[in-house]
Amino acid sequence: MPQPQTTSDTSNDTRIDFLYLSESDMIRAGVTDMPACVDTMSDMLGLFAAGDYRMAGTENNSHGAQIFFPEHETFPGMPVDGPDRRFMAMPAYLGGDYQAAGCKWYGSNVANKERGLPRSILMFTLSDKDTGAPLAIMSANLLSAYRTGAIPGVGARYLARDDARVVGIVGPGPMNRTSLESFLAVRPGIDTVRVFGRSQGGIDTFIAWATEKFPQLAIEQVDSFEAAVRGSDIVSIAVPSQSGSEHYPLVRDEWVKPGAFVCCSAHLAVEESLVQRSRHVADARKIYQAWAEELPEPAHETVGIWGIHLVDRVRDGRMAPEQFEDVGEIIRGITPGRTDDDEIFIYSVGGMPVEDVAWATQVYRNAVRDGIGTKLNLWDTPALA
């Protein structure tokens, strides 16, 4: 993999140019190339497990810094709290062949949908690791969606059965669109998709998209969570819910077939007997450990992602630390992946900003190689130096 373009050729050249990449530029530069994204995320998770990264916080594992708003207006014009109402900065550095730093700026408001906009509007700045100068400023909605969807594909590559054919989709939103893309990238024998959701409109949109993109698939709507899980080789669950385990979607033991790979990208509860007969793997164990430190115990009652529940189980002695596995360690060969056809895996997906740095770096390199984007000048000589 080529090294990142530097901001200057000589130590006394003060001119700084950077690329602006619009969403259409990002598409031309390959941001929606899911097989390549899965490969990049596999590489990144191996580097993460080795420790060749940095994120925010004193332990280098913070998800980012978030602005919280009050429940009621305290000053004229100040936003108030609401569903997905937040701003967040997510910085990270990644080593290996990437050698770059970056930050995703994340604005979110569910009311955006009333304006025909996505709930979240994202931008990403990729920076030179030595000078801090910008290499690129890019549209990041697709960047974020594809890096997030690729992480389930990494899990399926190492943990799902090679002969996986049936995928159960619970929650037919954007997260499960890109997840399905990544599953097909690593398990091309998939031929059947079962879809369950709360909204008929959401189900119809998902089925229309999947039918057009993957005409080889048999896609059927099922009438229950159970029907999506039963008989599926891969199950992908991404259903937002309120905090509190009583609100989380519950996977029952009897629904899950031997050898299944269950991917959890949102809140989840699992029947205890299924917990006991499954292996539990996270995309990055350290993230959940750091996250849980910021939450009251039991942390899973506040943040319903399955990896947070695993932290709780290790803390209170219900699970030995070595039972909470890390896919990066499997990628690096430190621990084994699937060892037999009947093993059940429950895989937690949480997301972290090093993923954005990895995929942004690759897309940026593609853009530089192919002459994509608009070159902008920061300065020829800085006014203050």
Side-chain angles (χ1 to χ4, degrees):
M1 188 180 291
Q3 292 300 306
Q5 177 177 311
T6 57
T7 53
S8 61
D9 296 324
T10 63
S11 59
N12 59 1
D13 182 359
T14 62
R15 180 184 176 90
I16 294 177
D17 295 321
F18 62 93
L19 276 185
Y20 167 68
L21 297 169
S22 68
E23 185 169 82
S24 60
D25 292 332
M26 294 290 283
I27 293 170
R28 290 171 58 213
V31 74
T32 60
D33 183 347
M34 184 57 84
C37 192
V38 172
D39 289 342
T40 299
M41 293 302 104
S42 295
D43 186 45
M44 179 277 303
L45 287 169
L47 290 170
F48 188 94
D52 194 1
Y53 74 95
R54 287 292 184 271
M55 295 191 295
T58 56
E59 300 300 318
N60 305 303
N61 286 319
S62 175
H63 198 66
Q66 183 170 326
I67 297 173
F68 295 90
F69 293 107
E71 291 186 9
H72 306 286
E73 187 177 276
T74 53
F75 294 93
M78 179 180 283
V80 295
D81 191 26
D84 290 304
R85 187 73 176 97
R86 60 182 178 268
F87 288 101
M88 190 169 187
M90 301 171 63
Y93 158 81
L94 184 63
D97 289 328
Y98 302 90
Q99 298 293 320
C103 184
K104 182 166 71 178
W105 178 241
Y106 186 123
S108 179
N109 188 351
V110 74
N112 284 352
K113 293 183 180 294
E114 298 169 10
R115 303 184 180 187
L117 296 170
R119 182 200 70 192
S120 302
I121 299 176
L122 313 175
M123 294 297 294
F124 189 85
T125 300
L126 185 69
S127 298
D128 184 284
K129 66 164 186 174
D130 295 316
T131 66
L135 298 172
I137 295 177
M138 57 185 71
S139 170
N141 277 53
L142 289 173
L143 178 84
S144 188
Y146 273 78
R147 66 79 157 161
T148 302
I151 299 297
V154 175
R157 169 177 282 170
Y158 290 93
L159 307 176
R161 286 178 53 137
D162 291 340
D163 61 354
R165 292 181 47 253
V166 180
V167 175
I169 295 291
V170 181
M175 177 72 225
N176 262 332
R177 288 196 201 183
T178 51
S179 294
L180 180 59
E181 286 192 60
S182 72
F183 296 147
L184 284 157
V186 300
R187 291 293 181 266
I190 291 169
D191 58 22
T192 302
V193 178
R194 299 170 181 156
V195 185
F196 171 70
R198 297 169 176 169
S199 158
Q200 187 61 49
I203 294 168
D204 292 342
T205 297
F206 182 92
I207 291 175
W209 165 82
T211 300
E212 180 178 358
K213 191 167 186 68
F214 304 110
Q216 76 275 21
L217 297 178
I219 303 169
E220 58 180 296
Q221 177 179 347
V222 294
D223 61 4
S224 67
F225 187 1
E226 176 181 352
V229 176
R230 276 195 184 273
S232 292
D233 303 300
I234 295 173
V235 179
S236 186
I237 303 166
V239 182
S241 62
Q242 300 177 47
S243 292
S245 55
E246 70 275 16
H247 300 297
Y248 303 155
L250 174 66
V251 183
R252 297 199 176 277
D253 189 359
E254 64 182 83
W255 300 351
V256 180
K257 68 179 288 189
F261 168 72
V262 181
C263 180
C264 321
S265 303
H267 293 180
L268 187 75
V270 177
E271 193 169 29
E272 184 61 26
S273 54
L274 177 59
V275 174
Q276 295 299 326
R277 72 183 182 107
S278 302
R279 283 179 63 184
H280 301 272
V281 182
D283 48 357
R285 183 176 53 237
K286 291 179 184 176
I287 294 303
Y288 303 98
Q289 292 167 337
W291 200 348
E293 289 296 326
E294 302 171 1
L295 302 170
E297 295 186 35
H300 191 237
E301 290 297 316
T302 304
V303 176
I305 297 175
W306 188 242
I308 297 290
H309 179 74
L310 299 179
V311 175
D312 286 339
R313 293 183 79 92
V314 172
R315 279 175 172 174
D316 63 23
R318 286 177 291 161
M319 176 181 282
E322 61 271 17
Q323 291 178 283
F324 184 2
E325 302 183 62
D326 189 302
V327 76
E329 293 172 357
I330 292 171
I331 290 168
R332 297 180 66 218
I334 296 171
T335 54
R338 176 174 289 276
T339 59
D340 67 64
D341 284 347
D342 287 341
E343 278 187 309
I344 294 170
F345 287 90
I346 300 179
Y347 177 64
S348 182
V349 176
M352 51 190 178
V354 283
E355 298 167 12
D356 298 292
V357 173
W359 193 222
T361 301
Q362 188 55 56
V363 173
Y364 164 71
R365 290 172 179 169
N366 294 345
V368 171
R369 180 195 65 203
D370 297 337
I372 296 168
T374 302
K375 189 176 185 180
L376 299 177
N377 176 252
L378 188 68
W379 60 55
D380 291 321
T381 303
L384 294 173

